[in-house]
Amino acid sequence: MVSSAAGLKAATAVAIFAVLVMSSQGHPRTKPLCSDCPSLCNTNCSAVIAATCNSTCSPPVAECDRCKSQVLQGCCQDFCSSSHGTSSYSCCPSDCIGGNCTTCSCDSCNAALQDRCTFACSMHASDLARCEGCKNGVGQQCYSPCISACNDHCVKKDC
């Protein structure tokens, strides 16, 4: 947890630094216009949130892949070894019966993947709550310091 906190602080510092060095809409100095601070911080903090929370907000890859592999293996073996299927079917790879069926692309097997692996490949309520918690926490840790730093270093628009 210490390393993710350090990473978040570094990412936030980069976001704040990016805001401070960006020039704004043709302004001759490298400081942003004060009126641009909210949008600059939103943009930069969105990138920090996406980078920091990416793995937390992604569906469970290993569980999904395991489900797909098992369903596809069984379905394609059944299809290719049935009286209706032979290895001449385009969806049946030549080693389907005794070997690897991961390249099988039968419509019925694709439907079975959809039916049987939807739950394994989806974000569940606890996953979604953890994702939202990450986004909210990182957003709060990034946005306020960014706005403060930007406001401290921005240029008011000349009339």
Side-chain angles (χ1 to χ4, degrees):
M1 194 71 167
V2 172
S3 63
S4 66
L8 176 58
K9 285 182 181 181
T12 301
V14 168
I16 292 168
F17 179 74
V19 168
L20 295 177
V21 297
M22 289 178 73
S23 63
S24 181
Q25 299 177 345
H27 197 278
R29 296 185 181 165
T30 59
K31 295 179 180 182
L33 292 173
C34 294
S35 60
D36 291 338
C37 286
S39 64
L40 291 172
C41 287
N42 277 335
T43 299
N44 284 296
C45 289
S46 292
V48 170
I49 290 167
T52 305
C53 298
N54 182 41
S55 63
T56 303
C57 296
S58 297
V61 175
E63 185 179 338
C64 181
D65 289 348
R66 187 170 35 258
C67 179
K68 287 180 176 181
S69 176
Q70 290 171 349
V71 170
L72 195 58
Q73 187 81 13
C75 182
C76 288
Q77 283 179 350
D78 289 347
F79 180 82
C80 294
S81 63
S82 71
S83 59
H84 302 294
T86 68
S87 61
S88 64
Y89 274 79
S90 63
C91 69
C92 297
S94 60
D95 63 346
C96 181
I97 302 301
N100 183 359
C101 293
T102 57
T103 59
C104 183
S105 62
C106 305
D107 288 341
S108 61
C109 293
N110 291 337
L113 281 177
Q114 187 70 22
D115 291 343
R116 295 180 194 161
C117 294
T118 297
F119 183 79
C121 296
S122 299
M123 296 278 286
H124 305 121
S126 61
D127 300 324
L128 294 172
R130 193 169 34 258
C131 174
E132 285 305 309
C134 180
K135 288 179 178 181
N136 290 336
V138 171
Q140 288 173 0
Q141 290 178 342
C142 180
Y143 191 76
S144 292
C146 181
I147 287 290
S148 179
C150 187
N151 285 336
D152 288 346
H153 297 91
C154 65
V155 175
K156 294 191 189 303
K157 190 173 184 177
D158 295 332
C159 294

